[in-house]
Amino acid sequence: MAVKQAAKPVYISPQLKNFQQLTAAANVNFIFPKGFKEIKAPDNEDLSFDYAMEMPGKEFEIWFQVKSQKENYASYEKSIGDKSKAQANPDSLYLGMGTAHALTFAGDNNFLQRTIPPKYLARYNADAGKSYLLNLQDEAVTKGYKYALLITLQKDHIGTILAVCFANEKGPEFFKNIDRASNCIKFKP
């Protein structure tokens, strides 16, 4: 009779554990993609991200920020009709988040911004989204990367996903690497 070995417990880093809590609160699924390795996410006064990963040997990184909007939306609903407590609709916060990050990374507003088409939003169970193609400033925090694709996704009343993909070339390999990670994060149906 063969003795079955107990499954070795999978190590989950503190960064990933915290990120999984944030994704759960925002109704987001995250599945770590093959070929990537976790790296430390930047967290300073200018840039605060929840999780980061790279493709070793490919000069390609992705940083994530996930925000639950459930509490903000409940507060917003309570403030409707009360001018003294007026608030911006949290479902539009993804616009400000994307633009603010794009300006921080690019140093100016000279970037290509696009609305994400409905067929791509459906792939991520999102209601709205924007993409920003950026030429980066030479900053230590971005490790000298030259280009980034910043993506914001919004699920109404639920949450926001912000992802930034970094590379030194913005040719076909950049977009192939993005595609390799494209299914790792999305809103739950």
Side-chain angles (χ1 to χ4, degrees), residues 20-122:
Q20 288 173 333
Q21 290 170 346
L22 292 170
T23 59
N27 221 35
V28 169
N29 280 330
F30 176 76
I31 299 168
F32 198 89
K34 277 187 170 181
F36 283 82
K37 177 183 115 184
E38 178 181 291
I39 57 174
K40 184 172 175 19
D43 186 13
N44 60 45
E45 63 188 42
D46 296 324
L47 294 170
S48 180
F49 283 81
D50 304 314
Y51 196 71
M53 57 190 190
E54 70 177 357
M55 287 186 79
K58 296 281 188 178
E59 292 187 330
F60 181 80
E61 292 185 17
I62 303 175
W63 301 351
F64 296 100
Q65 186 181 84
V66 174
K67 303 282 185 209
S68 172
Q69 298 298 349
K70 294 173 192 170
E71 288 180 24
N72 291 346
Y73 195 79
S75 177
Y76 167 75
E77 283 188 313
K78 289 178 187 173
S79 76
I80 293 174
D82 185 346
K83 291 184 181 188
S84 68
K85 296 180 183 178
Q87 297 179 22
N89 184 335
D91 288 341
S92 65
L93 290 177
Y94 78 97
L95 296 168
M97 286 174 61
T99 302
H101 278 84
L103 288 168
T104 298
F105 285 124
D108 57 32
N109 62 359
N110 189 21
F111 46 81
L112 182 63
Q113 176 184 336
R114 298 267 191 249
T115 298
I116 297 175
K119 73 176 188 175
Y120 292 109
L121 294 173

Side-chain angles (χ1 to χ4, degrees), residues 5-11:
Q5 293 281 339
K8 188 176 180 179
V10 175
Y11 172 75

Side-chain angles (χ1 to χ4, degrees), residues 156-170:
D156 289 345
H157 318 327
I158 303 295
T160 304
I161 297 170
L162 186 139
V164 188
C165 306
F166 297 94
N168 285 321
E169 300 294 329
K170 61 179 176 182

